Amino acid sequence: MAIPKPARSISPLARYENIHEHDASLVGDGLHVGIVMSRFNQDIGEGLLSACTTELKRLGVAENSITLASVPGALEIPLALQTMAGSGRFDALIALGAVIRGETYHFEVVANDSCRALMEVQLRSGVPIANGILTCEDDDQALVRMHQKGSDCAQVAVEMTNLLHAIRENS
């Protein structure tokens, strides 16, 4: 089945006549994307991954330009992302996983620290990271959200890569 190509860019109405505005571009041709997925709550992770890779391919990212690393849990995702970012091989990175609330404070620790660490890696490396680590009250919430979130992460990764390239070219 052929995957339809996305529109070249998403053009909002011009806000100002004399101010340059970068258009959002969802063209993934030629991009290399790294994905780190947590194996904890694996069924949800696999759902996120399926939606994410399907959308990356639809946006034009070649299947052989997608690299997947799996890690035990959400707290291990940032270190793998940091290593991938430092390799210089990836235009964008994606974090996938699910943290489901339990009966202890551990949920808050994992949810907050994994998110904080993703932001640190992104800001230090300059490589965009799409955060697809779901933080949900229960499995049902995660199951409902996983496909849309996986797809959204693919779009964010491609759009942010294109935006950063455009900003660098015009600087």
Side-chain angles (χ1 to χ4, degrees):
M1 176 163 96
I3 298 173
K5 291 288 183 184
R8 191 94 191 128
S9 65
I10 303 167
S11 297
L13 295 175
R15 290 176 184 81
Y16 302 98
E17 224 174 279
N18 297 314
I19 296 176
H20 175 75
E21 183 172 352
H22 294 284
D23 290 334
S25 172
L26 293 174
V27 178
D29 297 340
L31 299 184
H32 291 82
V33 179
I35 301 171
V36 178
M37 181 186 76
S38 165
R39 291 187 305 269
F40 202 81
N41 296 310
Q42 188 156 5
D43 290 345
I44 296 162
E46 293 290 342
L48 287 160
L49 179 63
S50 174
C52 182
T53 56
T54 297
E55 184 66 3
L56 284 171
K57 290 185 275 185
R58 189 186 76 78
L59 296 174
V61 178
E63 194 168 292
N64 64 357
S65 294
I66 301 169
T67 300
L68 172 66
S70 66
V71 296
L75 289 176
E76 290 75 37
I77 291 173
L79 181 58
L81 289 170
Q82 179 176 284
T83 303
M84 290 174 115
S87 75
R89 293 180 42 229
F90 301 97
D91 298 297
L93 299 169
I94 300 171
L96 300 176
V99 182
I100 309 297
R101 185 177 298 280
E103 296 179 13
T104 68
Y105 183 71
H106 187 66
F107 169 85
E108 282 82 6
V109 171
V110 175
N112 292 335
D113 285 349
S114 62
C115 180
R116 178 197 47 77
L118 292 183
M119 291 303 296
E120 286 179 13
V121 171
Q122 178 175 237
L123 293 173
R124 284 186 186 141
S125 70
V127 176
I129 299 174
N131 184 353
I133 302 174
L134 296 175
T135 52
C136 301
E137 294 294 322
D138 54 45
D139 288 343
D140 290 338
Q141 280 185 353
L143 291 168
V144 167
R145 295 178 59 206
M146 69 182 178
H147 290 106
Q148 184 64 51
K149 188 62 159 179
S151 179
D152 289 348
C153 284
Q155 292 177 14
V156 166
V158 170
E159 181 177 339
M160 287 303 297
T161 299
N162 289 328
L163 175 63
L164 294 178
H165 286 165
I167 290 170
R168 289 178 186 125
E169 287 175 4
N170 291 320
S171 295

